[in-house]
Amino acid sequence: MAIRYVTAGESHGVALVGILENVPAGLDIDFDFVNAELNRRMGGYGRSSRMATENDRAMFLSGVISGRTIGSPIAVQIQNADCRFDCESACGCEEVTAVRPGHADLSGAVKYGFDGARNVLERASARSTAMTVALGAVAKLYLKRLGIQVCSHTLAIGGVIAKVTDYSHINARADKDRVRCLNSVASEKMIEKIDGARNSGDTLGGVAEIIVLGCKSGIGSYVSADKRLDGLIMRAVGCVPSVKAVEIGDGIAGSALFGSLFHDEIYTSDSGAPCRKTNRAGGIEGGMTNGEPIVVRAYFKPIPTLRNGLNTVDISSGLAAKSARERSDVCAVPSGGVVCEAAVALALAEAISDMLGGDSMEEVVKRYNDKASAV
């Protein structure tokens, strides 16, 4: 069965929890790596003051013994340092009735019949992505056993676009930069943009590029819509809060080109195997990997919680108001790239496990290598 997951928890509740199913037995869990991934998510210039109060640590509750998976569901918990209620007590946070444009506030309150948006925003908050990153770290460890690496960098913030020519050691280099940008000149301009937005009480969006290295051909399938890898990846990344568009390869630019200028022509390599000189398809053709790096771009809208507020309606009175203020980031694109890495890793692990099965990691590795050698 395919690897799958579910998360639960509210922004100011006791904890976030997650369950990851169908991970084969025998996968070594590097707990330091998982917590390092959580630290990566908390970084990035433009984050809110909450990052100074949370010290996220993943506590594995089941499915792992002596640092190795045993084939049963993996349960993970992350305590919320900023806890203001539990399931038996009233929420210690102020109710929100001046609903925020661009957020789940109004639609959620109407859908569930709430008098305010507090119950909505507690779950709709991007705080939930901490658990996505924790479970995604396990998926990365699964992929690492197959020689697959998932990385990301910031491509644009507030209209400042980074020109990148060196894609070596992507995460190691990006994580050293305050906005996770691989171009130092663009990075400084992005920081200036963030400072300007902060000073004016505004927010900024941007683009994170996620790159997957080491995939063999044939992951995914064309036979059913729900098996297509590009669809799985776009859905996973599109579910990350604030992501409003997802691109595979040069899909957006390609929409304006002739086919003769877009498609990656196929040649014969020195070894006699088919090869490509370009990768405009972003490593996926017909719903399957083609052996080139997978390239995904996540487009983040500006965060909808603004210090100065936007025009809205107070749903308790029906009167015009300025939208409520909640503690929020000015720009979350740098950390958003880390979250999207996790989302892509989970989608890719789902596709591979669905294709290969395997009760143990030894089976998975053998089947993957055997399948790859037959391509």
Side-chain angles (χ1 to χ4, degrees):
M1 294 181 66
I3 290 174
R4 60 183 184 178
Y5 72 100
V6 63
T7 72
E10 286 73 46
S11 181
H12 296 96
V14 175
L16 303 174
V17 295
I19 295 178
L20 190 63
E21 288 188 309
N22 302 320
V23 175
L27 177 64
D28 292 318
I29 301 298
D30 184 339
F31 301 110
D32 289 339
F33 171 76
V34 175
N35 289 319
E37 289 292 283
L38 290 172
N39 287 337
R40 292 178 68 226
R41 172 194 167 274
M42 295 174 67
Y45 198 75
R47 299 302 306 275
S48 76
S49 59
R50 182 169 186 173
M51 296 306 102
T53 61
E54 297 287 358
N55 182 26
D56 291 339
R57 308 290 292 177
M59 179 184 297
F60 284 72
L61 305 177
S62 71
V64 179
I65 296 178
S66 298
R68 301 193 100 195
T69 58
I70 59 174
S72 57
I74 298 171
V76 182
Q77 177 177 292
I78 300 173
Q79 293 291 124
N80 284 330
D82 191 7
C83 173
R84 304 187 190 181
F85 65 91
D86 58 33
C87 292
E88 296 182 3
S89 63
C91 181
C93 300
E94 183 180 353
E95 181 59 276
V96 172
T97 56
V99 291
R100 296 164 294 174
H103 211 287
D105 293 356
L106 179 57
S107 297
V110 170
K111 176 179 175 67
Y112 291 105
F114 298 138
D115 294 329
R118 171 57 61 186
N119 292 347
V120 178
L121 65 90
E122 281 296 326
R123 178 56 183 168
S125 167
R127 172 66 186 152
S128 64
T129 62
M131 183 52 66
T132 303
V133 169
L135 300 183
V138 177
K140 285 184 178 183
L141 293 170
Y142 172 90
L143 297 174
K144 184 179 179 180
R145 285 287 300 273
L146 305 178
I148 298 171
Q149 176 190 2
V150 185
C151 43
S152 72
H153 66 102
T154 298
L155 191 63
I157 288 178
V160 177
I161 302 173
K163 294 183 178 180
V164 180
T165 56
D166 181 5
Y167 283 91
S168 63
H169 309 292
I170 295 172
N171 277 354
R173 292 168 53 218
D175 288 347
K176 292 179 181 178
D177 186 81
R178 289 188 287 176
V179 289
R180 301 197 71 250
C181 181
L182 298 178
N183 183 306
S184 59
V185 175
S187 173
E188 291 304 316
K189 292 180 180 179
M190 291 175 184
I191 289 170
E192 290 176 7
K193 280 276 192 176
I194 293 171
D195 287 340
R198 180 185 289 109
N199 292 337
S200 62
D202 219 322
T203 59
L204 285 172
V207 184
E209 185 172 71
I210 303 89
I211 300 174
V212 183
L213 304 172
C215 281
K216 305 293 186 180
S217 296
I219 300 171
S221 179
Y222 59 87
V223 300
S224 299
D226 62 343
K227 304 295 184 184
R228 296 179 71 94
L229 183 61
D230 41 4
L232 290 172
I233 288 175
M234 286 190 281
R235 182 184 186 281
V237 175
C239 288
V240 173
S242 288
V243 172
K244 294 297 285 185
V246 184
E247 178 184 19
I248 304 290
D250 294 340
I252 293 176
S255 66
L257 298 177
F258 290 110
S260 57
L261 298 176
F262 178 75
H263 295 294
D264 304 305
E265 294 181 302
I266 303 172
Y267 301 87
T268 301
S269 67
D270 293 340
S271 66
C275 68
R276 295 169 175 80
K277 298 179 181 180
T278 58
N279 187 28
R280 300 185 191 97
I284 299 177
E285 292 176 311
M288 302 168 293
T289 55
N290 64 10
E292 299 294 324
I294 298 174
V295 180
V296 183
R297 298 187 189 97
Y299 292 74
F300 290 81
K301 68 181 180 182
I303 294 166
T305 304
L306 279 68
R307 188 176 72 220
N308 296 332
L310 296 171
N311 292 327
T312 188
V313 171
D314 189 312
I315 58 175
S316 65
S317 66
L319 300 177
K322 288 291 183 180
S323 58
R325 278 190 60 190
E326 287 281 308
R327 182 172 51 190
S328 180
D329 302 327
V330 175
C331 178
V333 176
S335 60
V338 176
V339 176
C340 288
E341 282 180 36
V344 170
L346 286 161
L348 191 54
E350 176 186 345
I352 292 174
S353 61
D354 182 57
M355 180 176 71
L356 300 178
D359 296 316
S360 70
M361 282 307 302
E362 287 73 13
E363 287 181 75
V364 174
V365 173
K366 184 179 185 305
R367 291 174 185 180
Y368 183 71
N369 290 336
D370 287 347
K371 196 170 188 68
S373 65
V375 174

